[in-house]
Amino acid sequence: MTRTLQEQLIKNGLAKKPMKKRRQKNKIQKSKEQLSKRELEELMGIRRDTFKPVKGSFRKK
């Protein structure tokens, strides 16, 4: 059996075992606020004014 230097040192008591890394759970806060359909559409950019060019300037449609 071939062992690494680290494993040999651990067996002989000359080195400490490496500590395992603990996984940290990301705490995600759930939004308790209920948004209406219209508010969601505004956030997504669906309900924006539309402009079209008229003689070099832009005007609302």
Side-chain angles (χ1 to χ4, degrees):
M1 262 201 284
T2 59
R3 292 187 178 157
T4 64
L5 178 62
Q6 187 69 28
E7 289 173 350
Q8 291 175 0
L9 290 173
I10 291 170
K11 183 180 177 189
N12 294 334
L14 300 173
K16 295 181 181 178
K17 292 182 181 179
M19 295 186 70
K20 293 182 180 179
K21 294 181 182 179
R22 293 185 182 180
R23 292 185 184 178
Q24 293 180 354
K25 294 181 181 179
N26 293 336
K27 294 183 180 179
I28 300 173
Q29 295 178 354
K30 293 184 180 180
S31 178
K32 294 180 182 178
E33 180 182 358
Q34 294 293 324
L35 299 174
S36 67
K37 184 177 179 179
R38 182 176 179 97
E39 289 173 334
L40 286 173
E41 288 176 349
E42 287 177 3
L43 288 172
M44 291 188 290
I46 293 174
R47 296 187 177 269
R48 288 189 179 173
D49 293 333
T50 56
F51 296 91
K52 70 175 196 176
V54 178
K55 295 183 182 178
S57 63
F58 288 93
R59 301 210 177 152
K60 286 185 183 179
K61 226 177 178 184

